[in-house]
Amino acid sequence: MSYSASNQDDDIRRAAQTLLSARYVMALTGAGISVESGIPPFRGPGGLWTKYGEPPMNGYQIFLQNPKKAWEERLNPQGPSKIIWETVGSAEPNAGHHAFAELEKMGILQCLITQNVDNLHKRAGSQKLVEIHGNYTLIRCIECNSRYPGSEVPLHNLPPQCPKCNGMLKSDTVSFGEPIPPDALDACYSETQLCDCFIVAGTSATVYPAASFPLAVRQKGGTLIEINLYESEITPLCQFSLRGPSAEVMPKLIAAIKELRQ
Ligand code: APR
């Protein structure tokens, strides 16, 4: 049976009803939500890794072996990294980001976990936000976990040192092989314990521990609502899998909720 537009509208209405009757709604977003802001995804059609191959899975160990060189490369990126940082640097939040901020303001979304480091959810106004893979505008101490705005850290001596504990500073973005910062991880676990309904938007749901949080909610009988252009790893576990660009589908979901609330 083809998945017609009217089926999708029905599903959006039913998903809206599910969100309104849920006790504690969370969301997990990935690269797909920033595609309409001009930032390519990593995997699948048009993905950076699809085009250039996956980066080394031991990025963090490479950083620790020669932090000065890693910093110099970060400050003067080449190849796929150059594309990432140039597109991220000039991107603006899109209707999908704004819809998640509105869902929070409507009192429905209790916590948004994003895998994106692009700062766009924050700029769209999301406050109950966990950036599980960090934020590219911040610099973090790998000893005391303190974070500083990148613009406030002098970079004439590399690697820079933490003004609080003299520990080594690194971009806040989490490298492959690097442990997720404890404050972010703790927040994800404690919020997930309260959650009974999870929106999963613009992610292939293949990277852990991020993908484990909606799975944990599904395992305890909660509901998953997916928004994705294509099927993903988690689609079979979702009660609703809404097909389309998140910048189009999310505003429709908000409109359906407002209609039901009237
Ligand atoms: N709207 C909705 N979904 C989209 C859109 C769009 N416009 N465009 C692409 N997608 C979907 C794709 O179908 C895919 O399922 O978004 C997903 C993007 O998946 P990935 O590229 O794997 O990105 P993500 O899930 O965020 O990757 C997780 O992997 O590479 C690491 O650290 C990186 O945070 C990242 C993590």
Side-chain angles (χ1 to χ4, degrees):
M1 180 188 79
S2 70
Y3 188 79
S4 70
S6 66
N7 290 18
Q8 170 105 329
D9 291 346
D10 286 350
D11 276 354
I12 287 177
R13 247 192 312 281
R14 291 164 55 218
Q17 187 52 63
T18 303
L19 290 169
L20 276 173
S21 44
R23 233 187 12 261
Y24 203 88
V25 175
M26 290 180 66
L28 174 70
T29 65
I33 193 142
S34 294
V35 165
E36 277 96 39
S37 296
I39 305 173
F42 298 100
R43 299 169 187 84
L48 275 170
W49 304 161
T50 313
K51 207 166 166 190
Y52 298 99
E54 288 230 351
M57 288 298 120
N58 61 342
Y60 189 50
Q61 287 65 33
I62 294 170
F63 171 83
L64 293 175
Q65 275 154 21
N66 189 341
K68 183 170 186 306
K69 182 164 173 278
W71 264 102
E72 284 159 354
E73 283 170 1
R74 183 55 186 270
L75 296 172
N76 183 25
Q78 303 300 320
S81 302
K82 187 171 167 50
I83 297 170
I84 293 178
W85 300 125
E86 278 176 357
T87 50
V88 165
S90 58
E92 295 294 331
N94 64 55
H97 298 105
H98 290 295
F100 276 106
E102 188 170 2
L103 206 56
E104 180 187 314
K105 283 198 195 74
M106 292 163 82
I108 293 172
L109 184 60
Q110 304 303 326
C111 176
L112 168 58
I113 303 172
T114 188
Q115 298 167 88
N116 303 341
V117 299
D118 57 29
N119 199 37
L120 294 179
H121 277 300
K122 208 177 260 179
R123 289 179 54 200
S126 286
Q127 306 204 342
K128 299 179 181 174
L129 176 67
V130 182
E131 296 169 309
I132 190 171
H133 295 160
N135 182 309
Y136 88 104
T137 67
L138 302 176
I139 290 176
R140 174 172 34 88
C141 172
I142 64 171
E143 303 300 333
C144 71
N145 206 43
S146 299
R147 293 181 180 84
Y148 307 93
S151 54
E152 292 174 16
V153 175
L155 296 174
H156 34 263
N157 291 325
L158 299 176
Q161 286 187 300
C162 174
K164 269 198 202 115
C165 78
N166 278 334
M168 186 164 28
L169 294 179
K170 176 187 170 293
S171 159
D172 184 40
T173 55
V174 177
S175 310
F176 282 110
E178 183 177 358
I180 302 289
D183 55 342
L185 203 54
D186 293 348
C188 293
Y189 279 112
S190 53
E191 290 286 329
T192 299
Q193 292 197 325
L194 304 169
C195 178
D196 63 341
C197 181
F198 226 118
I199 301 170
V200 184
T203 180
S204 55
T206 53
V207 173
Y208 288 75
S212 72
F213 302 113
L215 291 180
V217 169
R218 183 68 177 77
Q219 264 144 20
K220 62 177 178 175
T223 304
L224 304 186
I225 298 171
E226 180 177 42
I227 293 145
N228 200 310
L229 271 182
Y230 312 105
E231 285 221 358
S232 75
E233 292 273 311
I234 207 165
T235 304
L237 298 170
C238 296
Q239 187 177 2
F240 305 104
S241 187
L242 308 174
R243 227 24 95 248
S246 45
E248 286 174 23
V249 176
M250 279 302 297
K252 287 184 182 166
L253 200 50
I254 298 283
I257 291 169
K258 287 180 177 169
E259 210 179 297
L260 287 167
R261 270 187 165 174
Q262 274 169 4

